[in-house]
Amino acid sequence: MNPRLWAALDTVRDPELDEPVTELGFVHSATLAEGHAEVRLRLPTYFCAPNFAYLMVADAHDAVTAVEGVTSVDIRLDDHFASEEINAGVAGQAGFEGTFPTEAIGELDELRLIFRRKAYLAGLDRLGTKLVQDGRTPSEIAGLTLGDVPESPVRSSLLRRRRDLGFDCTPDAPLLVDEKGVVIPAGEAALRLRFARAVRISIDGNAGLCRGLLQTRYSAVRY
């Protein structure tokens, strides 16, 4: 693996699982020779949703193209039923609708927004859980600002997700806002945090399933 390509690919996240494709094992190879970058991606199953697959391949293409010294890029998704269409569409900058002209009904901006909102809720649960473990009640959490919360990995992670959605990330900004940026009142804090937990558990469960399927699919041990 080329370290500069790997660093670029580390910024590409599975839109549904909100984890880097590098950590999920989706990058099979990444090489760089005389300015030409070649990346091979793989997914847990042959039938992974083509819209998710397209987003990851397109994001990987953009990330690798931006690496200093890269003059040409070949990003390929292997072992997927729509590999040929996705690879050609991304290489040709056709967009999702142009890649699947008879099946797609638009681009994927709305889908990406939905998953960003889910990722934000999962991050809110992780920070909310930490605050509860530190002795805060949900109604007390509703009264906090971002500046009231000490630095921690879960706080940093939540801020990144807030920035993705364009939310206020200044120290005086209310901590507890919903996935659309609306402030959650103290009386609804417990219920909304439980909803955020349900979203986080769903994402974590899917991530575990995908890791297991990928390991089974590409395991060196065959029966």
Side-chain angles (χ1 to χ4, degrees), residues 5 20-21 33 41 54 74 76 81 93 102 115 134 139 146 150-151 168 173 194 196-198:
L5 298 187
V21 294
L41 301 174
Y54 182 89
D74 182 10
R76 291 184 181 275
F81 80 94
Q93 300 288 290
T102 60
F115 284 124
D134 291 342
S139 58
L146 291 176
E151 293 286 346
D168 187 354
R194 284 200 294 274
R197 176 162 299 175

Side-chain angles (χ1 to χ4, degrees), residues 111-122:
L111 179 68
R112 193 186 292 274
L113 177 60
I114 290 170
F115 284 124
R116 282 180 174 171
R117 286 174 171 169
K118 287 185 175 182
Y120 164 74
L121 288 172

Side-chain angles (χ1 to χ4, degrees), residues 39-118:
V39 174
R40 295 292 178 268
L41 301 174
R42 60 189 185 182
L43 293 174
T45 74
Y46 185 71
F47 300 103
C48 287
N51 48 3
F52 299 174
Y54 182 89
L55 283 174
M56 284 184 278
V57 177
D59 289 351
H61 184 280
D62 292 344
V64 169
T65 299
V67 174
E68 185 176 357
V70 170
T71 56
S72 60
V73 172
D74 182 10
I75 308 286
R76 291 184 181 275
L77 174 65
D78 294 328
D79 303 336
H80 188 274
F81 80 94
S83 288
E84 185 175 342
E85 293 93 335
I86 291 172
N87 295 334
V90 170
Q93 300 288 290
F96 185 70
E97 197 170 11
T99 301
F100 297 99
T102 60
E103 295 94 349
I105 56 174
E107 293 300 327
L108 301 174
D109 295 342
E110 184 66 24
L111 179 68
R112 193 186 292 274
L113 177 60
I114 290 170
F115 284 124
R116 282 180 174 171
R117 286 174 171 169
K118 287 185 175 182

